[in-house]
Amino acid sequence: MTTVVETVVATVRAIQAALLVVTGLQLTGYMWPPSATVTNGATYDFIIVGGGGAGSIIANRLTEESSLNILLIEAGGDPQLEAVLPGIFPTTVNSAVDFNFTSENDGYSSQNLKNGVAGLTAGKMLGGSTSLGHMNYVRGVPNDYAKWAKATGDDSWNYWNLLPYFIRTEKLEDPDILASDTAQFHGTNGFLRLTRQPSADNTPIFNAYNELGINPVLNSNDPAFAIGISEPMLMIADGIRQSAAEAYLRPIADRPNFHLLKNTQVTKVLFDDNKSAVGVEAVTSDGETITINARLEVILTAGVFNTPQLLMLSGIGPSEHLTSFDIPVISDLPVGQNLQDHIPATVVHTLAPGEPVTAPPNPHVFPVPLTIAYTALDMNQAYPDYQTINLVFPPDNIASVQICSIVFGYKDEICQGFFDGGSGKSTFFSISSMVQPESRGEVLLRSANPADPPVIKHGIYSNENDLHKMALYLQDFSRIVNTTAFRDMGAAMVELDLPQCNDLERNTYDYWKCYALNMSGTIWAYSSTCSMGSVLDSNLRVKGVQRLRVADASAMPNIISGNANPAVMVIAEKAADLIKATYGPSPRSK
Ligand SMILES: Cc1cc2nc3c(=O)[nH]c(=O)nc-3n(C[C@H](O)[C@H](O)[C@H](O)COP(=O)(O)OP(=O)(O)OC[C@H]3O[C@@H](n4cnc5c(N)ncnc54)[C@H](O)[C@@H]3O)c2cc1C
Ligand SMILES: *[C@@H]1O[C@H](CO)[C@@H](O)[C@H](O)[C@H]1NC(C)=O
Ligand SMILES: *[C@@H]1O[C@H](CO)[C@@H](O)[C@H](O)[C@H]1NC(C)=O
Ligand SMILES: *[C@@H]1O[C@H](CO)[C@@H](O)[C@H](O)[C@H]1NC(C)=O
Ligand SMILES: *[C@@H]1O[C@H](CO)[C@@H](O)[C@H](O)[C@H]1NC(C)=O
């Protein structure tokens, strides 16, 4: 007999195959800047590698200077329907627009995910991972950025000095926040349109949290906010995903100094004898290898896995590791060594009984009511310990299976357990993640061949203290079932069959410790593989070489307690300012 999970997975695979066919219609083609013709040996002032969350912003800002000629090189192509409609993000996972990276199986963490590995989803298209991510816009707290300032020894990276960049990116359209006194912390003239999607279905959730002392907060990006629950801002407007491609590339298609080369993978950064980056080697969609020159700088924004891979292929990385692949070392740096991710675990509760919804879902909105809670064991702390993303699903809703099985990649038994345990009731699907992990992973080369994916050791729970803390966080969260709001609905936690945990007494520290390890995976907040302070200086320049910067999620000294994208955006906005300050408005006249 075919299970619900098998049916849902098969259906999504069939939809992906159908969408791939629809790609031929080029339905979204009109939205995106065309690809430039770039000849072997061509020269530009700046070459930006990777048109994702960060690269799109830098391309936009640098082309504001009409005297600068910019080439943006992107490995993927145009975002298609599934990347434009915000409601169908599960169909992007393991499709042609996903690099399909996975962690190495460490035999310890992520063992209840398919094949015992975390699916480290990463977008391969204009907009990069912002074209397939989950669109929550949460900046993190000032304490996160205070750590950046400390790691770099440069106060320009503290929250208050970055605030103008947050404001510059944003075009906030939520009337409630705009009417509040936190409006002063937001922009209304930026490229990134932000909205919210309040829902009455979240009322019992707010009530339950309130009973636990976690207050409803209108604006989770209020810098005074550390602990509370909110309906977050979303990178969605007019029913369209506000990816970095939509927000930053679409508006600049007509700039004559903006050149975009799609479907082309950069395979190496080229240096002269003085260790100055002078260009890149790339493989075009025809399979041709070309060299392109950069007169001023090469800027890497290929994401947390591809940027360190590209640096190492180019001779920048741990010398022993590079030497083992016969790659000549240009600068010996701890590239790839500081990988960080939030560490999640999913818990599902049943809420009130009800009838399944039969109306088709609206693909233009975030699919279900959503809240994000931030909690600390010490409620007086100025920063959260863990984040809980809460989704409320109607009874017997297969979207919950898509999220469980395809997006998170949990094994079929787990998702079937959640689905069967929730039968006939609406469900409260909660992902609690520790936001300040001590565990570290690493990105290494698999070979000297750029076509081989990097080796990614996710490293979650490699520091035992994290497992201890996560047990406490899950135990803390579990109190929600005893709130009046939840009791009134007859809420109950869905018990999973976790063989190694079953004998442990429920609600004990030991049970939650077992549960935490058994339900571990990824929440895609990866960062810090080429950190400022170790690999980069505080102006994002790669140490030991000239004219080369990294300005994407890799550059963070440490993970932030929000979702990664807003932090990536301020890195990119600031990078553009640093570059403009270095070269002035008319570098040609110098
Ligand atoms: C499933 C998922 C859900 C997420 N949800 C959220 C969320 O809700 N909120 C949030 O704030 N953040 C979220 N994120 C994180 C956010 O999307 C990333 O932090 C952000 O996109 C990182 O930007 P980046 O520029 O570092 O990398 P990316 O956006 O991944 O861009 C890298 C780009 O470089 C290109 N590239 C790579 N290698 C090469 C090469 N060799 N040559 C040329 N081009 C290359 C890639 O194709 C890609 O376009 C999510 C991420 C994922 C994967
Ligand atoms: C990712 O995997 C899917 C399913 O196997 C495949 O169709 C797709 O082409 C892969 N993506 C890339 C970028 O290779
Ligand atoms: C390297 O630097 C030296 C000394 O500054 C200079 O003479 C030489 O031309 C430079 N070489 C290149 C390839 O730029
Ligand atoms: C809920 O309350 C009951 C009765 O007081 C108690 O036995 C149980 O452990 C509590 N559950 C949680 C998760 O705190
Ligand atoms: C579940 O946790 C137990 C106790 O820590 C551990 O022995 C077991 O390997 C874990 N199983 C999975 C599938 O993660």
Side-chain angles (χ1 to χ4, degrees), residues 13 16 20 93-100 124:
R13 297 291 170 236
Q16 286 175 336
L20 198 60
V93 181
N94 290 136
S95 78
V97 295
D98 179 1
F99 276 100
N100 297 327
K124 185 184 184 184

Coordinates of all heavy atoms in Angstrom, one line a residue, residues 13 16 20 93-100 124, ligand 2:
R13 N 7.4 15.4 -7.0 CA 8.4 15.1 -8.1 C 7.7 15.2 -9.5 O 8.3 15.7 -10.4 CB 8.9 13.7 -8.0 CG 9.7 13.4 -6.7 CD 11.1 14.1 -6.7 NE 11.7 14.0 -5.3 CZ 12.0 15.1 -4.6 NH1 11.9 16.3 -5.1 NH2 12.6 14.9 -3.4
Q16 N 7.5 18.9 -10.2 CA 8.8 19.4 -10.6 C 9.1 19.1 -12.1 O 9.6 19.9 -12.8 CB 9.9 18.8 -9.7 CG 9.9 19.4 -8.3 CD 10.9 18.8 -7.4 OE1 11.3 17.6 -7.6 NE2 11.3 19.5 -6.4
L20 N 9.5 21.7 -15.1 CA 10.7 21.8 -15.9 C 10.3 21.9 -17.4 O 10.9 22.6 -18.2 CB 11.5 20.5 -15.7 CG 13.0 20.5 -16.1 CD1 13.7 21.6 -15.4 CD2 13.6 19.1 -15.8
V93 N 12.9 22.4 -4.0 CA 13.9 21.6 -3.3 C 14.3 20.4 -4.2 O 13.4 19.7 -4.7 CB 13.4 21.1 -1.9 CG1 14.5 20.2 -1.2 CG2 13.0 22.3 -1.1
N94 N 15.6 20.1 -4.4 CA 16.1 19.0 -5.2 C 15.5 19.1 -6.6 O 15.1 18.1 -7.2 CB 15.7 17.6 -4.6 CG 16.5 17.3 -3.4 OD1 16.0 16.8 -2.4 ND2 17.8 17.6 -3.4
S95 N 15.5 20.3 -7.1 CA 15.1 20.5 -8.5 C 16.3 21.1 -9.3 O 17.3 21.2 -8.7 CB 13.9 21.4 -8.6 OG 14.3 22.8 -8.4
A96 N 16.1 21.5 -10.5 CA 17.2 22.0 -11.3 C 17.8 23.3 -10.8 O 18.9 23.6 -11.1 CB 16.7 22.2 -12.8
V97 N 17.0 24.0 -9.9 CA 17.5 25.2 -9.4 C 18.2 25.1 -8.0 O 18.5 26.1 -7.3 CB 16.4 26.3 -9.4 CG1 16.0 26.7 -10.8 CG2 15.3 25.9 -8.5
D98 N 18.3 23.8 -7.6 CA 19.0 23.6 -6.3 C 20.3 22.9 -6.5 O 20.4 21.9 -7.3 CB 18.0 22.6 -5.4 CG 18.6 22.3 -4.1 OD1 19.7 22.7 -3.7 OD2 17.9 21.5 -3.4
F99 N 21.4 23.4 -5.9 CA 22.7 22.7 -6.1 C 22.7 21.3 -5.5 O 23.6 20.5 -5.7 CB 23.8 23.5 -5.4 CG 24.3 24.7 -6.2 CD1 23.9 26.0 -6.0 CD2 25.3 24.4 -7.2 CE1 24.4 27.0 -6.7 CE2 25.8 25.5 -7.9 CZ 25.4 26.8 -7.7
N100 N 21.7 21.0 -4.7 CA 21.5 19.6 -4.1 C 22.7 19.2 -3.2 O 23.0 18.1 -3.1 CB 21.4 18.5 -5.2 CG 20.2 18.7 -6.1 OD1 19.2 19.1 -5.6 ND2 20.3 18.3 -7.3
K124 N 20.4 27.8 -7.3 CA 21.3 28.0 -8.4 C 20.5 28.7 -9.5 O 19.9 28.1 -10.4 CB 21.8 26.7 -8.9 CG 22.8 26.8 -10.1 CD 23.2 25.4 -10.6 CE 24.3 25.5 -11.7 NZ 24.6 24.3 -12.3
Ligands
LIG2 C1 19.2 18.3 -8.3 O1 18.6 17.0 -8.2 C2 17.5 16.9 -9.1 C3 16.9 15.6 -8.8 O2 17.8 14.6 -8.9 C4 18.0 17.1 -10.5 O3 16.9 16.9 -11.4 C5 18.6 18.5 -10.7 O4 19.1 18.7 -12.0 C6 19.7 18.6 -9.7 N1 20.2 20.0 -9.7 C7 21.4 20.4 -10.2 C8 21.8 21.8 -10.2 O5 22.1 19.6 -10.7

